[in-house]
Amino acid sequence: MQQLKNASKLKHIVLTSHPIRPVSKPPRIHWGEINPRKRGAIVGTLTTAAHRNVIGTHSGSYSVYRALAVASGALHPNHRADLTNTFPVVPIGPHPSWGNPDRIVSLDPFGAIVDEVYADLYKQGYDIRPTIAITKAHINLPEIQDAIAKGRLAVDGKILKDGGSLVVTKVAIEPVWHLPGLAKRLDVSENELRRALFQQTGGMFPELVTHPDLQVFLPPIGGMTVYIIGDVEAITDPHRELAVRVHDECNGSDVFGSDICTCRPYLAHGLEVCTETAQAGGAGVFVYLRKEGRALGEVTKFLVYNARKRQEGGDRADAYFNRTECVAGVPDMRFQELMPDVLHWLGITQIDRFVSMSDMKYNAIVNSGIKIIHRIPIPDELIPADAMVEIAAKQAAGYYTEKTVPNLVTLGKIKGRSLSD
């Protein structure tokens, strides 16, 4: 009897802590509609359960930190973001690809402008949060300074400033997955996809198998950052050249300069090609995806490092992927099929200079309907000695066909200066 009384009190507390809204029906999502109102808002917040129309919540892997902040009392669980003056510094889109359900399945194309296109829903009490933010910034790499010192890049005062400061438009994107479209992209049934997601997250999201009506999932993974160099409008102008580098995260090399792989050199090389293309009147797009260790994670990557170096005969190209597969069960989990979505969001239909040797990336982009004119490899002189094993292993495994890829010097000149670095 006492338990019933306690339950009654708890019910009363829950009901009175969530006042009745004028409208409580969740928006319906019609993925692929070019009109954002017809498409419907993505509501993944927790302030009003009746408004939710997705599985999961915002902020990707950072949602767990939010839970800790709530648990510790540092954050009120019903905090609603004040989006005043947070709108994009430059407009991007809409592009025709935003209305194609096959082109974009892993992000919300309207994610940067939700407070604008769903303003009336905000007024009705819906807590709709952006999944894309667009701002301006300066980045400065020693390699860019070196390129200036050696005459490969020139300070122009607009794109590249004194001291090697590079002016960029910076875009942060959280993942938003349309499960039917994702399943189609991976060539599996939606039921198989939902079951795998449910099981491999330890049952963290039961709605994956109990609510087939919820077709959008906000996964607890890292998103991506896009760095645009030059005029944003040049990205979709067929008369202006576009350089693109798609880069998968490698914290050890990208940030701390580890020389066991080519990631940091390729990062700097990609930025240099993008900068030179932008200075010639085009644009450069650098996409940085959170896929540490080929999406296997940093712990797995370091375990593989140890296994490779301790094996008989030392680190060898012929055992490079074998040791990864022994530890992780698979040599690579990046599934580049989802990667082109961000390029379609930007409205890209042709890439003049694709700064990559990866056949996986190239094939994913071309198969998605984007034309690539030239593929640009990393120059031999930028490959660290310890990374030669990686290069040899990737070539043997068919990651790329180095001999068929033209070097920068064969692509001509921009503004009288060689593209070769």
Side-chain angles (χ1 to χ4, degrees):
M1 190 65 179
Q2 185 61 42
Q3 288 179 334
L4 288 174
K5 289 182 179 179
N6 291 339
S8 177
K9 289 180 181 178
L10 179 60
K11 182 180 180 181
H12 177 71
I13 291 171
V14 171
L15 289 174
T16 55
S17 64
H18 291 76
I20 297 174
R21 303 286 187 182
V23 178
S24 61
K25 190 176 180 180
R28 295 195 64 179
I29 298 174
H30 301 279
W31 196 268
E33 280 283 355
I34 192 66
N35 183 321
R37 293 307 311 276
K38 291 182 179 179
R39 200 293 304 273
I42 303 295
V43 187
T45 47
L46 304 170
T47 52
T48 304
H51 290 175
R52 286 173 51 79
N53 59 4
V54 302
I55 303 166
T57 185
H58 292 297
S59 302
S61 57
Y62 292 97
S63 61
V64 178
Y65 287 104
R66 184 174 65 243
L68 294 180
V70 170
S72 67
L75 174 65
H76 193 285
N78 288 342
H79 168 74
R80 188 174 179 186
D82 180 355
L83 300 177
T84 304
N85 292 329
T86 62
F87 54 86
V89 295
V90 294
I92 292 179
H95 298 294
S97 54
W98 292 21
N100 187 330
D102 293 325
R103 286 285 185 258
I104 298 176
V105 301
S106 62
L107 61 88
D108 177 9
F110 305 104
I113 52 175
V114 293
D115 56 332
E116 174 188 340
V117 296
Y118 302 120
D120 60 329
L121 292 179
Y122 271 101
K123 293 177 181 178
Q124 294 176 39
Y126 286 89
D127 187 5
I128 307 167
R129 302 194 182 183
T131 56
I132 299 176
I134 305 171
T135 189
K136 286 277 191 181
H138 293 78
I139 59 176
N140 200 317
L141 275 69
E143 290 89 343
I144 296 296
Q145 298 176 17
D146 183 66
I148 295 172
K150 293 180 179 177
R152 298 196 305 269
L153 291 176
V155 172
D156 58 58
K158 181 180 178 182
I159 295 173
L160 190 54
K161 296 190 174 183
D162 289 331
S165 183
L166 188 59
V167 179
V168 299
T169 300
K170 189 162 64 171
V171 185
I173 302 176
E174 292 179 3
V176 178
W177 288 359
H178 180 239
L179 293 174
L182 198 73
K184 183 178 179 181
R185 186 79 61 86
L186 298 180
D187 195 26
V188 299
S189 73
E190 186 182 343
N191 284 340
E192 289 176 311
L193 175 63
R194 285 174 174 267
R195 189 184 311 114
L197 288 169
F198 171 71
Q199 293 174 341
Q200 296 304 314
T201 56
M204 187 184 299
F205 302 99
E207 297 94 339
L208 286 165
V209 292
T210 60
H211 276 275
D213 55 309
L214 296 177
Q215 296 189 335
V216 174
F217 177 40
L218 306 183
I221 61 173
M224 70 186 85
T225 310
V226 181
Y227 296 87
I228 302 171
I229 303 168
D231 184 3
V232 172
E233 293 183 358
I235 293 174
T236 55
D237 189 336
H239 304 294
R240 302 164 78 177
E241 292 187 318
L242 176 67
V244 172
R245 166 67 183 166
V246 176
H247 191 94
D248 293 324
E249 177 184 28
C250 179
N251 182 65
S253 179
D254 295 343
V255 179
F256 294 101
S258 169
D259 63 355
I260 199 171
C261 63
T262 59
C263 295
R264 169 80 185 204
Y266 228 143
L267 182 151
H269 179 56
L271 283 173
E272 183 173 337
V273 174
C274 286
T275 301
E276 192 160 18
T277 304
Q279 287 183 319
V285 171
F286 193 105
V287 182
Y288 193 88
L289 299 109
R290 299 320 190 281
K291 296 180 181 178
E292 180 64 62
R294 298 190 217 110
L296 299 170
E298 202 166 40
V299 169
T300 296
K301 181 163 74 170
F302 288 7
L303 292 174
V304 172
Y305 283 168
N306 288 344
R308 283 168 45 194
K309 293 177 180 179
R310 287 171 175 162
Q311 65 190 343
E312 185 178 351
D315 198 7
R316 308 189 316 272
D318 63 334
Y320 182 89
F321 289 111
N322 177 261
R323 296 309 301 147
T324 303
E325 194 163 356
C326 286
V327 176
V330 63
D332 197 321
M333 285 202 302
R334 284 178 290 183
F335 295 105
Q336 299 293 356
E337 288 85 356
L338 302 182
M339 171 268 293
D341 288 22
V342 65
L343 305 180
H344 288 292
W345 176 72
L346 290 166
I348 294 174
T349 56
Q350 176 174 301
I351 299 171
D352 298 285
R353 296 181 176 85
F354 183 51
V355 191
S356 174
M357 297 160 70
S358 168
D359 285 350
M360 292 172 65
K361 293 177 181 176
Y362 173 85
N363 291 336
I365 292 171
V366 171
N367 290 340
S368 79
I370 296 174
K371 186 177 181 180
I372 293 178
I373 306 300
H374 296 294
R375 298 171 66 181
I376 301 175
I378 186 171
D380 292 342
E381 61 270 21
L382 294 185
I383 301 175
D386 274 1
M388 291 306 297
V389 171
E390 175 201 41
I391 291 294
K394 286 186 174 181
Q395 186 173 17
Y399 262 60
Y400 62 90
T401 49
E402 187 177 15
K403 299 302 181 183
T404 65
V405 181
N407 197 283
L408 279 174
V409 74
T410 68
L411 300 182
K413 296 183 177 181
I414 292 182
K415 286 190 174 180
R417 293 183 285 114
S418 173
L419 278 171
S420 175
D421 65 347

